[in-house]
Amino acid sequence: MRRGYTREAYLELVENIRKIIPGVSMSSDFITGFCGETEDDHQQTLSLLREKTHAYHRLQDDVPVPVKQRRLEELISVFREEAAKVNMAFIGSAQLVLVEGESKRSSEELCGRNDGNVKVIFPKTDLSVQPEKPQMVPIKPGDYVLVKVQVYHLLWIWTGSS
């Protein structure tokens, strides 16, 4: 895949970033079934789950479709397991959420994303303009709301209250 770095150099870079910026959120792209990919390459991807790759040339695809499918399923499974562990740590925390709009799963809920780009689903309620005043306003896209994460439902889906 012509990575411009070794696995060890990448892990060291990630470690340094986390030391300099505690709590930083990072994302990754994954390629599985890439031309010439060996089973060992695939296993290293599963163990790392933080690969940044660039393809410099078009190569003949020599990985059979059933192998690609199996590897993709394994990658998704391991990713979900690891993401669930990370996301469970959000339970009980307050997250500042940028509201995107109504949730796809219910018109009674809104969705948005926290500063780590994690999707947050929360009840659609009106909020008071000021704590001491009774005037209520609806939450709308573009608003920031503070959401307490109470339950972890599905991958990247959260429920909570303001």
Side-chain angles (χ1 to χ4, degrees):
M1 285 189 254
R2 295 220 170 163
R3 290 183 188 101
Y5 50 85
T6 65
R7 181 179 190 276
E8 291 73 24
Y10 181 77
L11 289 172
E12 184 177 337
L13 177 63
V14 169
E15 182 180 336
N16 288 336
I17 291 169
R18 288 189 169 147
K19 282 180 187 173
I20 294 169
I21 311 170
V24 69
S25 294
M26 294 186 266
S27 64
S28 297
D29 294 323
F30 301 95
I31 299 175
T32 190
F34 193 81
C35 306
E37 179 184 59
T38 65
E39 193 61 32
D40 182 60
D41 293 334
H42 173 65
Q43 293 301 320
Q44 284 189 35
T45 299
L46 289 177
S47 72
L48 186 57
L49 279 181
R50 289 188 175 91
E51 295 288 347
K52 183 176 181 183
T53 60
H54 296 281
Y56 288 90
H57 304 283
R58 290 183 177 231
L59 303 173
Q60 182 179 349
D61 188 354
D62 60 352
V63 179
V65 172
V67 173
K68 289 180 185 184
Q69 185 62 39
R70 177 189 56 81
R71 290 176 179 178
L72 177 59
E73 290 168 4
E74 286 179 9
L75 184 66
I76 291 170
S77 176
V78 170
F79 174 79
R80 285 183 174 160
E81 289 170 12
E82 295 305 311
K85 290 176 190 174
V86 170
N87 291 341
M88 292 295 284
F90 283 106
I91 294 176
S93 71
Q95 296 292 309
L96 184 61
V97 175
L98 174 59
V99 179
E100 294 177 338
E102 195 170 276
S103 169
K104 291 179 183 176
R105 70 182 195 181
S106 171
S107 63
E108 299 299 313
E109 296 174 322
L110 295 171
C111 70
R113 295 184 182 270
N114 71 3
D115 62 0
N117 201 35
V118 174
K119 192 172 195 177
V120 181
I121 306 292
F122 55 97
K124 184 188 282 186
T125 61
D126 291 344
L127 296 177
S128 62
V129 176
Q130 294 178 358
E132 63 277 358
K133 294 188 178 179
Q135 181 185 6
M136 303 294 280
V137 295
I139 300 170
K140 60 188 181 310
D143 287 346
Y144 282 94
V145 293
L146 192 60
V147 176
K148 182 169 183 182
V149 179
Q150 296 176 333
V151 179
Y152 171 72
H153 279 270
L154 301 170
L155 184 65
W156 305 113
I157 306 295
W158 303 85
T159 61
S161 61
S162 306

